[in-house]
Amino acid sequence: MDFNFLNQKDPQDKGKKKKKNTKWGGSLAGAVFFFMLMTALYLVVTGSGKATPQVSISDLANSVIAGNVKTIVVEGDQLTITYQNGDVKDSKKEVDAPLSQTLFDYGVPATALAKTDIQIKDETGFMYWFLNFSPIILSLLFILIFFWYLSRQVKGAGMQAFSFGQSKARVTDPNDKNNRVTFKDVAGCKEAKEELKEIVDFLKSPKKFLDIGARIPKGVILTGAPGTGKTLLARAVAGEAGVPFFHLSGSEFVEMFVGVGASRVRDLFKMAKRAAPAIIFVDEIDAIGRTRGGGFGGGNDEREQTLNQILVEMDGFEPNDKVIVMAATNRPDVLDPALVRPGRFDRKVILDLPDRADREEILKIHALKKPLAEDINLTLIAERTPGFSGADLYSLMNEGAILAARENRKKVFQFDLIRAIEKVMLGPERKSHLLSKKEKEITAYHEAGHAIVASVLPHADPVHKVSIIARGNAGGYTLKLPLEERRLQSKKEFIDDIAMSLGGYVAEQMIFGDVTTGPSSDLQVSTSLARAMVTRWGMSPLIGPIALVDSGGKPQYGEVAEREFSETVSTKVDAEVSRIINDGLQTAEKVLTEYKKAFTAIAHKLIEVETLEQEEYEKILTAHGILLKKKEVITTTEV
Ligand code: ADP
Ligand code: MG
Ligand code: ZN
């Protein structure tokens, strides 16, 4: 199997010239440097840089009369004079007149002339040519380079239109060892890898499958939350199978001109078929693969044409076209049903957020090239990062290394990673964000309110850190950590979560009799949670188990977006949302009144030290008779 599709001639292949241009690197600096080089060369060759002394013709004539001159070499109008005493000097004569005539004119007698050895040399062909024409050629060259440079500039802007049909796919060559990704680089995702092994097998030895009459899947769609490794896994499939990988993102299809999306698709498939076996990977396919015809106020024709073209190309695969189309999306719910019907993207591979063990594996992969200190405990980091995606973990490792480097350490320590967790989760600390005494107090009571409610309510996650140092958008933060990894959440948990979110609001109200803008994001969180409970998860007894919206929050019924559901249902939903919020408020109030001592103790401590870690925090709780939740998270290091 060779990999020569790029060398084959394609009548439409206008992109080739373009490639060459870019290879030239196109720097004006280069052109100027070249010009200067040529000029220097010219100067050297024409000899104006030579150190040989010059004599005038009249001096030369006198020397000849005196018999001091041994030889004169004539080369065009250049004279090289060698004296009896060994000196060598240069001179010039008139261009048209012969030397003998010139000397004669200066009064040199024929006898003296006869004693001197005069050699006439032809200017060498090349030298003659070069010396006479190089000034012209150099200036021409310079002008040409200048125009070429200008035209490139223009191409950059307006002339793009000439190449707009060309597929913009990036190709990864299977022989490129540096960029090769294999399944080893992808941690976790066991089921997904298992599923994709089949594809790898097929790409490696298609004959085995074709001989037995098996129909090979044409399309595989990878779905999962952002950062779960969809793109990475698609690369790994190509790397494992050792086939070229054509990579293009959905939004790149749809650019600027109408009709271009479809022609890009054609180009892409043509290229891939020439390189077969190969993988075409359309990343973020939801950009083009959304349900057709559903658009409100006229669909997007361009997008639909592109999508149609993809479907046509996939239908047009011959049984032995060894091209597999992979696609990735984090919105499988919006995809056009025609895309996922059998014969097209009929294989679905789902990537979940990594669980604790997988997170540790991912951390290990990204720790490989980083020098780690002895105290590093990746298990603990994995425990503290529920809900992190692969991409989050990658950036956690990176932030940890950056922190270590900024403090001029050669190794990454555990506390670098711990700090990195919070940085990835909440954004950078804003230590410079100075609070007035009053603001500090308000923030402390606010966070203490959240924390106490979370610690007292049975279904909320235990608190492991409270801080009033601003981070990202938050004025302060309370971090909770579930006792156990979980995939499902229950109504009771949501109810306690809402109360905990409102804890800050209630605390401000209770202590200061006033509310600030601080809880605004808390209110957003609790309201949308309450609304989702009612409309998505059937958790309101009044509405019952009816899903009024889909997982994207769009109304389930009807295309008409204005009218979500009937007036009566709408009113009921609003009433239910307020009831849930009100219940949450009351719960929070009850908790904070009952445990007011613990609540104020935490707030005072926060004003004093600004950040409370789990241990100190729990000490205060137990001192006030609040029972800790059963399982200790931080100390469980066993798998
Ligand atoms: P997606 O396409 O799903 O949004 P990516 O594949 O682009 O996510 O992942 C982003 C980065 O996160 C990858 O380049 C990789 O460094 C890291 N990553 C994600 N998932 C994993 C995993 N399972 N194993 C190792 N690294 C991962
Ligand atoms: Mg991606
Ligand atoms: Zn808050």
Side-chain angles (χ1 to χ4, degrees):
M1 174 196 67
D2 63 354
F3 184 64
N4 63 352
F5 62 97
L6 282 178
N7 303 332
Q8 287 176 14
K9 265 269 174 312
D10 181 346
Q12 290 191 352
D13 213 344
K14 289 172 240 144
K16 271 239 189 103
K17 266 184 209 138
K18 208 171 123 197
K19 235 169 235 151
K20 236 179 200 160
N21 273 353
T22 39
K23 204 174 163 191
W24 258 77
S27 59
L28 186 57
V32 169
F33 177 73
F34 179 71
F35 181 71
M36 279 170 21
L37 199 81
M38 291 303 282
T39 316
L41 199 70
Y42 177 77
L43 288 179
V44 169
V45 169
T46 53
S48 1
K50 251 189 252 171
T52 350
Q54 295 277 336
V55 290
S56 65
I57 284 284
S58 54
D59 282 352
L60 175 63
N62 290 335
S63 307
V64 172
I65 296 168
N68 292 338
V69 177
K70 199 166 150 204
T71 56
I72 302 175
V73 177
V74 185
E75 218 175 329
D77 58 348
Q78 294 284 338
L79 307 178
T80 309
I81 304 127
T82 314
Y83 292 89
Q84 298 290 10
N85 61 5
D87 281 358
V88 177
K89 287 185 180 169
D90 274 354
S91 185
K92 265 195 174 174
K93 72 174 181 65
E94 288 160 72
V95 181
D96 296 329
L99 177 65
S100 46
Q101 183 62 49
T102 312
L103 290 178
F104 188 72
D105 290 347
Y106 276 91
V108 179
T111 44
L113 210 53
K115 272 187 225 151
T116 336
D117 176 16
I118 296 181
Q119 302 168 2
I120 314 264
K121 263 197 196 165
D122 268 350
E123 276 181 302
T124 54
F126 171 74
M127 285 309 282
Y128 183 76
W129 184 88
F130 184 80
L131 292 181
N132 284 288
F133 288 96
S134 53
I136 304 167
I137 290 176
L138 277 178
S139 24
L140 267 178
L141 206 68
F142 188 70
I143 291 169
L144 279 180
I145 287 176
F146 184 69
F147 273 104
W148 167 74
Y149 177 76
L150 270 190
S151 80
R152 268 179 40 98
Q153 299 280 73
V154 175
K155 233 182 234 158
M159 291 201 190
Q160 237 173 21
F162 287 128
S163 65
F164 60 68
Q166 272 298 311
S167 157
K168 283 192 168 177
R170 292 173 292 280
V171 190
T172 313
D173 184 334
N175 304 317
D176 181 358
K177 291 282 180 291
N178 294 330
N179 289 323
R180 190 160 165 216
V181 179
T182 62
F183 281 161
K184 264 199 259 117
D185 301 305
V186 187
C189 317
K190 286 178 207 73
E191 293 86 0
K193 281 197 220 167
E194 210 48 56
E195 185 85 25
L196 291 170
K197 274 213 181 94
E198 203 180 293
I199 308 283
V200 172
D201 263 359
F202 166 69
L203 288 168
K204 267 187 175 159
S205 44
K207 200 165 172 302
K208 189 170 79 186
F209 290 79
L210 293 172
D211 282 353
I212 207 167
R215 194 182 63 80
I216 297 308
K218 292 177 182 172
V220 181
I221 193 153
L222 299 165
T223 66
T228 41
K230 299 181 290 294
T231 310
L232 186 71
L233 200 56
R235 278 188 178 286
V237 171
E240 285 285 325
V243 300
F245 179 76
F246 295 81
H247 180 175
L248 216 129
S249 95
S251 55
E252 280 170 313
F253 276 122
V254 192
E255 245 180 34
M256 286 212 295
F257 301 100
V258 177
V260 175
S263 89
R264 290 232 169 107
V265 173
R266 266 194 305 275
D267 277 347
L268 179 63
F269 278 79
K270 203 163 20 163
M271 260 158 74
K273 278 183 195 166
R274 253 187 272 136
I279 292 179
I280 293 178
F281 178 53
V282 186
D283 211 349
E284 319 284 347
I285 197 173
D286 47 298
I288 42 172
R290 275 170 192 262
T291 312
R292 290 169 292 179
F296 194 60
N300 180 341
D301 285 345
E302 171 58 14
R303 213 164 43 72
E304 287 185 10
Q305 281 177 20
T306 310
L307 178 58
N308 282 339
Q309 190 63 37
I310 292 184
L311 299 182
V312 166
E313 293 286 347
M314 287 182 79
D315 285 342
F317 276 178
E318 304 290 323
N320 47 2
D321 271 344
K322 294 152 221 149
V323 176
I324 288 182
V325 187
M326 296 182 79
T329 178
N330 44 24
R331 297 291 315 276
D333 49 314
V334 301
L335 287 186
D336 195 297
L339 263 179
V340 286
R341 78 149 170 74
R344 288 167 180 167
F345 290 102
D346 49 355
R347 295 291 172 100
K348 238 187 182 184
V349 175
I350 298 169
L351 298 182
D352 288 319
L353 283 175
D355 62 17
R356 205 201 53 68
D358 287 347
R359 286 199 299 273
E360 189 171 341
E361 291 305 312
I362 296 176
L363 285 170
K364 272 184 195 155
I365 284 184
H366 294 300
L368 277 183
K369 282 182 196 144
K370 301 189 172 65
L372 300 182
E374 293 69 41
D375 75 332
I376 285 280
N377 179 349
L378 293 180
T379 314
L380 194 141
I381 301 294
E383 267 165 11
R384 283 216 180 180
T385 47
F388 270 43
S389 68
D392 291 332
L393 293 168
Y394 166 77
S395 91
L396 186 161
M397 263 303 176
N398 197 42
E399 289 294 343
I402 289 175
L403 283 172
R406 272 171 57 177
E407 287 162 20
N408 297 320
R409 273 177 282 114
K410 293 265 178 291
K411 284 182 177 171
V412 181
F413 286 79
Q414 181 78 353
F415 72 95
D416 292 322
L417 296 185
I418 301 262
R419 283 184 294 166
I421 296 178
E422 279 155 32
K423 194 164 174 195
V424 170
M425 205 158 21
L426 302 160
E429 269 189 2
R430 292 186 294 147
K431 285 222 165 100
S432 62
H433 185 81
L434 288 181
L435 299 174
S436 71
K437 191 164 167 290
K438 181 79 181 168
E439 278 174 331
K440 202 168 167 181
E441 252 173 49
I442 294 174
T443 315
Y445 277 100
H446 178 112
E447 295 307 328
H450 282 309
I452 292 289
V453 175
S455 297
V456 170
L457 293 180
H459 302 289
D461 295 330
V463 172
H464 83 96
K465 183 167 182 172
V466 196
S467 171
I468 56 169
I469 293 174
R471 243 182 199 289
N473 292 325
Y477 54 95
T478 302
L479 293 183
K480 301 178 302 168
L481 205 59
L483 289 170
E484 258 153 4
E485 197 84 31
R486 58 168 175 236
R487 302 238 166 247
L488 296 174
Q489 280 204 286
S490 71
K491 179 175 167 183
K492 286 178 180 166
E493 284 164 3
F494 284 138
I495 288 181
D496 284 2
D497 276 351
I498 289 176
M500 132 105 191
S501 292
L502 294 168
Y505 175 89
V506 172
E508 289 187 24
Q509 185 87 292
M510 257 172 91
I511 304 294
F512 304 97
D514 193 6
V515 185
T516 65
T517 51
S520 74
S521 68
D522 294 338
L523 300 187
Q524 263 168 32
V525 169
S526 48
T527 312
S528 59
L529 196 56
R531 187 161 276 277
M533 282 172 69
V534 177
T535 58
R536 264 173 77 182
W537 300 311
M539 289 176 177
S540 136
L542 193 68
I543 304 283
I546 297 174
L548 294 169
V549 298
D550 62 19
S551 57
K554 299 266 158 43
Q556 273 284 42
Y557 311 118
E559 315 253 279
V560 190
E562 285 164 5
R563 207 180 143 91
E564 302 195 350
F565 12 81
S566 78
E567 222 37 73
T568 17
V569 174
S570 233
T571 322
K572 274 194 199 169
V573 168
D574 290 343
E576 275 301 87
V577 171
S578 341
R579 185 189 56 80
I580 293 175
I581 297 285
N582 256 324
D583 286 356
L585 275 179
Q586 273 170 23
T587 313
E589 254 165 39
K590 213 174 118 224
V591 170
L592 292 185
T593 323
E594 193 171 332
Y595 295 93
K596 187 146 187 191
K597 275 200 181 132
F599 165 45
T600 40
I602 299 277
H604 286 149
K605 193 76 187 171
L606 276 176
I607 293 170
E608 186 189 327
V609 298
E610 298 194 339
T611 301
L612 279 173
E613 294 288 346
Q614 186 170 25
E615 210 178 313
E616 298 163 81
Y617 172 75
E618 291 186 340
K619 250 187 229 157
I620 303 178
L621 288 193
T622 22
H624 290 85
I626 297 175
L627 288 180
L628 299 181
K629 290 182 182 166
K630 282 160 274 148
K631 200 173 140 196
E632 274 280 335
V633 196
I634 301 307
T635 49
T636 48
T637 43
E638 281 310 307
V639 178

